[in-house]
Amino acid sequence: LKACPPSATRGRGSAFPLGDCMPRAGVRFLGIVAVAGVAWLSRPVLREMGTVFGRIEVEEPKYEIVRKMSGYELRRYGPSTAVEVSAEGPEENKAFGRLARFIGVFGVPQNAKQQQIAMTAPVVTKEEGGNGMRMQFILPADAHGNAPVPTEPGVRLAQRPSAVYAVEQFSGSWSVSAAAERAAALARRVQEDGLAVDESSPWEFFRYNPPWTLPLFRRNEVAVPL
């Protein structure tokens, strides 16, 4: 379908009878509709592309910034509920999948209510004992206090009480050993700034992005409890 020349009329006897052409305004309107339709249908693709470059589109736990320091900040988090699993050695690579099954990422949710639960960020990793680790998904705020019980052995609910952390943000590698070095350095800086570190609680590694996010755009954090 082509646009009618400016001199064309659409009455009887027109050199461009109905169907041969369309007024230019109509052509422009159809073009706008087509572009809008493509944009609408492309939303899931564009959303995924955004996460490649670091966009975070899931719920995060709320916190208050108590004070901004040089290279880190002090945050106060409210209480929340998490689902967690402990793992050591080869089992560490399976920890994420076990938690994902609880919320229903891979099919029927592995919890007592078979309740689908939204993914959140960050995924939390803590060192536990010798070489072991504990991984947590912090559940959405509306699940705090009423989360369904996990049905897979070894997966459990955990309460995260209100707490204050010194938090440093960085991008790049997800290496837990590198994060541990960064957390140790942060703890020393916190103490040099005259603050007391809670030695009875482990430092935490926060990872906010999916695996396909480019390392340069990842939001990673180490959190040292105070």
Side-chain angles (χ1 to χ4, degrees):
L1 188 65
K2 59 186 177 181
C4 298
S7 59
T9 64
R10 300 189 62 77
R12 177 178 294 182
S14 167
F16 298 91
L18 185 65
D20 288 352
C21 67
M22 176 179 288
R24 293 180 185 279
V27 173
R28 286 197 296 270
F29 175 74
L30 285 181
I32 292 170
V33 170
V35 170
V38 170
W40 178 267
L41 294 174
S42 299
R43 287 184 309 157
V45 175
L46 294 174
R47 188 179 301 118
E48 291 301 319
M49 284 298 295
T51 62
V52 170
F53 296 102
R55 180 181 296 173
I56 300 168
E57 297 187 332
V58 296
E59 181 180 327
E60 301 176 36
K62 291 182 171 56
Y63 59 83
E64 171 194 358
I65 299 178
V66 177
R67 185 179 174 187
K68 285 187 174 292
M69 308 295 285
S70 178
Y72 66 96
E73 61 188 21
L74 306 182
R75 297 180 188 171
R76 177 179 288 111
Y77 286 87
S80 59
T81 301
V83 60
E84 68 177 20
V85 63
S86 297
E88 186 173 351
E91 294 300 312
E92 292 183 13
N93 293 329
K94 300 178 182 178
F96 184 93
R98 297 176 70 188
L99 298 178
R101 285 194 291 273
F102 168 81
I103 64 174
V105 172
F106 303 125
V108 177
Q110 300 298 298
N111 61 64
K113 297 180 182 178
Q114 295 188 345
Q115 175 184 336
Q116 197 84 22
I117 300 173
M119 185 65 188
T120 64
V123 174
V124 180
T125 303
K126 306 181 184 185
E127 287 187 337
E128 185 174 62
N131 298 319
M133 54 81 75
R134 192 187 332 161
M135 183 177 286
Q136 293 182 338
F137 286 1
I138 300 174
L139 300 181
D142 60 9
H144 178 51
N146 61 0
V149 177
T151 54
E152 182 175 341
V155 180
R156 57 190 178 272
L157 296 177
Q159 298 305 311
R160 292 177 59 91
S162 179
V164 177
Y165 295 90
V167 181
E168 178 186 359
Q169 184 173 321
F170 61 100
S171 60
S173 171
W174 277 352
S175 165
V176 175
S177 59
E181 294 177 4
R182 188 179 288 269
L186 175 59
R188 289 193 295 270
R189 285 160 53 201
V190 167
Q191 292 171 325
E192 290 169 0
D193 288 338
L195 302 171
V197 173
D198 182 359
E199 303 286 355
S200 65
S201 299
W203 68 276
E204 301 187 7
F205 185 16
F206 298 162
R207 290 177 283 185
Y208 287 82
N209 306 100
W212 53 84
T213 299
L214 298 174
L216 177 64
F217 298 101
R218 287 176 181 166
R219 177 184 171 190
N220 306 325
E221 294 174 341
V222 287
V224 173
L226 305 182

